[in-house]
């Protein structure tokens, strides 16, 4: 799943994006309001983490800009400004959650996952399809009740398949969700990853549709 982090504090941005990648997300980084306004592929974002104090404007303006353009993904404000007035303004402008810095990474991650569940209209933290269960919070996965040992990328891919079970995912869709803008995007890597995952979860759970992509069977 792909996140956009809007943060001008370079150190914080690096630390946070490292940890988010470690938790299985692909992370894009925008450093100011102008970059945020011009960011391509906003419809591919699973969520945005938005700082309010930006060098060329406020995150609040950026939030309004996106909402006015029907950007519908969850947006979590992460800010040092924590007055109740700021929270009210942020939530009224279309933010889904509001977290005051400093925050423990575990709390941020739990809040993000809660946003995904709410966004998907689900309340069960587990994703479950066809005998595969996956918990994005504890990062565990089970196949027919047996624990699965997955690499970080395999976990990311399985999570994507479960969230989009029954739908065709092209190699491009998979690359968009698994890799950062600046990392290598080789189609071959997707094939290799899918075949590794198939060995672990059972071949027949993922169907290859020639020229189209892959489908996780429900
Ligand atoms: Ca800032």
């Amino acid at each position: 799943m792909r996140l956009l982090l809007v943060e001008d504090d370079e150190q914080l941005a690096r630390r946070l994006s490292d940890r988010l990648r470690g938790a299985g997300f692909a992370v894009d980084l925008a450093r100011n309001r102008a970059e945020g306004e011009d960011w391509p592929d906003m419809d591919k974002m699973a969520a945005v983490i938005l700082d309010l104090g930006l060098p060329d404007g406020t995150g609040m303006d950026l939030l309004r800009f996106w909402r006015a353009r029907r950007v519908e993904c969850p947006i979590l404000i992460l800010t040092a400004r924590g007055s109740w007035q700021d929270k009210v303004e942020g939530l009224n402008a279309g933010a889904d959650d509001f977290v005051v810095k400093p925050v423990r990474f575990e709390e941020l991650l739990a809040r993000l996952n809660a946003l995904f569940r709410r966004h998907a209209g689900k309340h069960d933290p587990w994703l479950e399809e066809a005998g595969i269960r996956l918990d994005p919070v504890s990062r565990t996965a089970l196949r027919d009740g047996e624990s699965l040992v997955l690499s970080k990328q395999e976990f990311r891919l399985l999570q994507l398949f479960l969230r989009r079970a029954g739908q065709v995912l092209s190699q491009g869709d998979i690359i968009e969700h698994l890799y950062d803008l600046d990392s290598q995007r080789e189609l071959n890597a997707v094939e290799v990853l899918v075949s590794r995952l198939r060995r672990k979860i059972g071949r027949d759970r993922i169907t290859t549709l020639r020229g189209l992509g892959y489908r996780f069977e429900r």
Side-chain angles (χ1 to χ4, degrees):
M1 303 177 82
R2 189 176 201 81
L3 299 179
L4 177 64
L5 172 61
V6 186
E7 174 63 72
D8 61 311
D9 177 335
E10 295 222 3
Q11 236 187 342
L12 177 62
R14 198 172 333 117
R15 218 170 46 230
L16 198 53
S17 48
D18 282 351
R19 297 214 59 184
L20 288 165
R21 288 184 184 117
F25 296 101
V27 183
D28 289 351
L29 180 61
R31 295 175 193 283
N32 53 51
R33 177 183 163 187
E35 278 185 16
E37 288 190 354
D38 291 339
W39 206 263
D41 295 341
M42 286 304 292
D43 55 327
K44 302 260 168 57
M45 294 299 161
V48 175
I49 299 174
L50 177 62
D51 177 30
L52 287 187
L54 297 171
D56 56 347
T58 74
M60 211 71 90
D61 293 332
L62 192 47
L63 174 61
R64 291 199 184 90
F65 174 89
W66 280 326
R67 290 309 193 211
R69 280 155 188 79
R70 311 200 63 78
V71 170
E72 287 174 349
C73 67
I75 297 179
L76 181 150
I77 292 176
L78 178 63
T79 178
R81 301 187 209 167
S83 75
W84 67 267
Q85 290 92 339
D86 287 325
K87 290 184 191 170
V88 169
E89 189 185 355
L91 295 170
N92 282 339
D96 297 273
D97 202 353
F98 197 106
V99 177
V100 179
K101 297 178 202 170
V103 62
R104 285 203 57 99
F105 180 74
E106 290 76 6
E107 181 185 343
L108 184 65
L109 187 59
R111 284 177 179 274
L112 274 178
N113 281 315
L115 286 184
F116 296 143
R117 288 202 300 280
R118 253 184 278 158
H119 202 63
K122 285 187 189 171
H123 300 286
D124 183 356
W126 285 86
L127 296 168
E128 183 163 15
E129 290 289 346
I132 305 284
R133 271 167 74 88
L134 180 147
D135 178 6
V137 180
S138 67
R139 300 188 44 71
T140 48
L142 303 173
R143 170 190 179 181
D144 301 323
E146 301 276 329
S147 175
L148 278 169
V149 180
L150 300 174
S151 71
K152 201 189 297 174
Q153 289 294 56
E154 289 163 2
F155 190 90
R156 280 189 187 187
L157 179 60
L158 183 57
Q159 189 169 355
L160 176 64
F161 272 132
L162 291 179
R163 287 192 199 278
R164 308 266 297 270
Q167 301 173 25
V168 178
L169 293 174
S170 69
Q171 291 197 327
D173 292 333
I174 293 174
I175 288 171
E176 290 284 350
H177 278 83
L178 293 194
Y179 302 103
D180 304 315
L181 280 181
D182 50 357
S183 62
Q184 279 200 327
R185 309 154 158 234
E186 288 182 31
L187 295 179
N188 182 32
V190 172
E191 271 174 48
V192 172
L193 190 61
V194 169
S195 77
R196 285 212 313 259
L197 185 61
R198 265 200 184 115
R199 277 202 289 280
K200 295 186 179 179
I201 67 167
R203 271 178 200 289
D204 49 349
R205 285 188 166 96
I206 300 169
T207 304
T208 301
L209 298 116
R210 293 222 173 278
L212 293 175
Y214 304 97
R215 186 176 58 219
F216 186 92
E217 302 298 342
R218 318 190 82 136

